[in-house]
């Protein structure tokens, strides 16, 4: 599918607030792609599709994962917020996307992982700093850091996410912890 077609289909699939976030992530990813030398179109597609499975309920996502033959680790089973990322690559394929680098970026956009590719880092960071996001701490500083030091920005976002989950007593998945164990060298 072309980018305008993807955008059109998404607009009917997700609610208006989510669509606004998705457009913000796509633009931010394209901008970071220009700065760091990643293909603009791949960045934009990853941004557009990263939350394409967010239109499903947790119950439905669990079923869809089972139907697709995706094995959920015990940690993932305990973290329904992560299921839209786990199922995301399968849903993205229904938009005609086959680029494994884009599909992996979608898969790891919530937890991150160790030694991410440039595209994976760009998507991970863009999701957090896109202009419509207002709730997170230190956003102004993180937005400046994103254009100056992408690895450090990735590490800071992981650190803040873990802090936030700890404060709320939410279970932290092994994927998230493993990712931070790697990126804390950049703090
Ligand atoms: O889909 P978005 O709302 O744009 O953002 P997201 O995909 O980054 O995150 C969805 C939620 O997942 C967010 O509130 C943070 C949370 N999260 C990140 N890592 C973990 C996690 N939740 C659990 N339970 N465990 C994690 O390891
Ligand atoms: Fe997400
Ligand atoms: Fe998102």
């Amino acid at each position: 599918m072309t980018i305008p077609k993807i955008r059109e289909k998404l607009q009917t699939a997700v609610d208006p607030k989510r669509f606004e976030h998705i457009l913000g992530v796509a633009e931010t990813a394209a901008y970071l792609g220009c700065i760091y030398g990643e293909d603009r179109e791949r960045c934009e597609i990853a941004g557009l599709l990263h939350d394409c499975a967010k239109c499903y309920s947790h119950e439905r996502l669990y079923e869809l994962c089972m139907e697709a033959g995706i094995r959920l680790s015990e940690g993932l089973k305990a973290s329904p917020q992560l299921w839209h990322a786990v199922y995301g690559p399968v849903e993205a394929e229904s938009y005609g996307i086959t680029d494994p680098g884009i599909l992996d970026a979608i898969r790891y956009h919530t937890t991150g992982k160790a030694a991410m590719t440039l595209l994976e880092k760009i998507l991970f960071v863009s999701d957090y700093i896109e202009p419509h996001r207002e709730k997170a701490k230190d956003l102004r500083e993180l937005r400046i850091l994103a254009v100056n030091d992408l690895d450090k920005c990735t590490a800071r976002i992981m650190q803040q996410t873990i802090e936030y989950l700890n404060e709320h007593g939410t279970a932290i998945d092994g994927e998230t912890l493993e990712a931070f164990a790697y990126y804390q060298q950049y703090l």
Side-chain angles (χ1 to χ4, degrees):
M1 256 184 218
T2 61
I3 288 178
K5 279 274 169 235
I6 293 175
R7 215 181 282 142
E8 236 172 73
K9 178 170 167 180
L10 269 171
Q11 190 160 18
T12 64
V14 302
D15 67 62
K17 195 100 190 92
R18 178 64 46 186
F19 188 63
E20 187 180 62
H21 162 69
I22 279 171
L23 293 182
V25 175
E27 283 297 311
T28 305
Y31 175 67
L32 290 177
C34 293
I35 293 174
Y36 290 104
E38 181 53 86
D39 183 75
R40 185 195 51 77
E41 198 163 310
R42 292 180 84 217
C43 292
E44 210 171 326
I45 293 172
L48 285 172
L49 290 176
H50 81 284
D51 276 341
C52 68
K54 204 94 178 185
C55 53
Y56 301 117
S57 67
H58 288 161
E59 292 72 21
R60 185 71 188 127
L61 279 171
Y62 188 86
E63 277 173 14
L64 286 167
C65 284
M66 294 305 108
E67 284 167 20
I70 299 171
R71 270 189 53 88
L72 295 173
S73 67
E74 287 309 309
L76 282 176
K77 274 188 194 159
S79 306
Q81 298 102 306
L82 306 183
W83 297 347
H84 76 285
V86 174
Y87 188 70
V90 180
E91 184 71 10
E93 281 176 355
S94 76
Y95 290 76
I97 303 307
T98 54
D99 179 337
I102 295 179
L103 298 177
D104 276 344
I106 295 173
R107 169 62 182 83
Y108 293 102
H109 85 266
T110 306
T111 59
K113 67 171 175 158
M116 288 191 277
T117 64
L118 180 57
L119 181 64
E120 286 166 354
K121 283 184 282 195
I122 286 176
L123 182 59
F124 182 81
V125 167
S126 300
D127 189 23
Y128 205 85
I129 66 164
E130 65 93 2
H132 305 288
R133 178 146 354 230
E134 292 159 353
K135 274 187 279 180
K137 198 173 70 145
D138 298 335
L139 270 176
R140 185 159 181 269
E141 199 187 331
L142 289 171
R143 285 171 175 140
I144 294 167
L145 193 55
V147 302
N148 287 311
D149 188 337
L150 193 62
D151 284 310
K152 189 167 180 182
C153 187
T154 300
R156 284 280 312 274
I157 290 171
M158 287 174 177
Q159 186 181 40
Q160 278 190 202
T161 301
I162 290 171
E163 240 171 59
Y164 172 88
L165 294 169
N166 274 332
E167 278 164 18
H168 290 77
T170 311
I172 301 174
D173 188 74
E175 274 183 17
T176 299
L177 294 172
E178 235 174 77
F180 183 58
Y182 178 89
Y183 276 93
Q184 61 181 342
Q185 66 179 299
Y186 295 105
L187 286 176

